[in-house]
Amino acid sequence: ALDLLRKQGMELKTVVLTAKEKLCVCEKPECDPDHCPRAKGHFDRINQAVYELWTTGPDACTREVILESAERYKVCPFELSLDLAVWVDTLICDYNYVFDPDARLRRFFAEGGAGGYLFLIDEAHNLVERGRTMYSSSICKEDFLKIKKLVKYGEPKLVSALESCNKQLLELKRECD
């Protein structure tokens, strides 16, 4: 679709979002100045990196383009791609950024946001199963016991409530087996 629009003379700026874990220059993504050298002074450098990509960068800001710019400006590549996303015409990303309550692009869905976005969803037939995973939660009986051990001498009411939860979950477990 982008190629068709470009053939018709429309220039569109695009950013491809890649998962933080795949872009992070550190072994483990710990986004704070104590663990990541790019977090120190990040906000002093990020605006220039975004401005350069938006005004003089290529039309398609792919993973490679983002990584190169992030290296040049010593900023977080993931945050660079998110900040750039606000300024481009098209955004290519996994649909969990739109539907997952933990991963979604809050800057687009915040109250008072511009709205009026159009989503073209590839692999939409997978949305039902992914939705079940995204919006489902689970309770583990053993977690209640661990918490009870941690607080057993501190709060008698909390210990009693945790024991009650444990008994109810045990009953449910027996019913399900």
Side-chain angles (χ1 to χ4, degrees):
L2 292 174
D3 289 335
L4 179 63
L5 291 171
R6 286 189 179 110
K7 285 179 186 176
Q8 294 178 357
M10 290 187 74
E11 290 301 317
L12 297 174
K13 283 283 196 181
T14 304
V15 68
V16 179
L17 283 187
T18 305
K20 181 188 287 192
E21 293 76 18
K22 292 182 180 180
L23 284 177
C24 187
V25 296
C26 300
E27 259 185 58
K28 189 168 89 173
E30 292 186 71
C31 305
D32 65 72
D34 293 333
H35 296 97
C36 177
R38 295 197 181 182
K40 291 178 185 156
H42 172 85
F43 294 105
D44 298 331
R45 300 180 300 274
I46 190 67
N47 289 344
Q48 186 61 39
V50 170
Y51 182 77
E52 179 188 274
L53 284 175
W54 185 54
T55 58
T56 61
D59 288 339
C61 292
T62 61
R63 177 181 179 173
E64 293 75 25
V65 170
I66 294 292
L67 284 169
E68 179 189 314
S69 182
E71 177 64 29
R72 187 169 47 257
Y73 285 96
K74 301 295 183 212
V75 294
C76 171
F78 183 68
E79 291 299 326
L80 173 59
S81 63
L82 289 177
D83 287 347
L84 186 61
V86 176
W87 297 97
V88 298
D89 302 301
T90 55
L91 179 59
I92 299 171
C93 61
D94 188 292
Y95 50 70
N96 72 305
Y97 286 101
V98 177
F99 296 105
D100 189 325
D102 295 325
R104 70 188 185 134
L105 296 166
R106 285 177 180 80
R107 58 193 81 204
F108 291 101
F109 301 106
E111 194 171 310
Y117 304 110
L118 174 69
F119 298 99
L120 173 64
I121 301 169
D122 189 17
E123 301 285 328
H125 63 278
N126 292 322
L127 275 175
V128 172
E129 187 55 38
R130 286 277 290 270
R132 281 189 190 115
T133 304
M134 287 182 233
Y135 292 100
S136 295
S137 52
S138 61
I139 296 175
C140 183
K141 185 179 101 47
E142 288 74 18
D143 290 342
F144 284 90
L145 293 175
K146 286 179 188 175
I147 296 169
K148 181 182 150 195
K149 284 180 185 178
L150 290 172
V151 297
K152 88 174 148 181
Y153 301 111
E155 294 289 330
K157 286 185 178 181
L158 180 57
V159 170
S160 175
L162 289 167
E163 285 174 355
S164 176
C165 287
N166 184 50
K167 286 178 186 174
Q168 289 176 346
L169 290 170
L170 190 57
E171 285 178 33
L172 289 171
K173 187 175 181 179
R174 287 184 188 132
E175 287 178 22
C176 292
D177 286 342

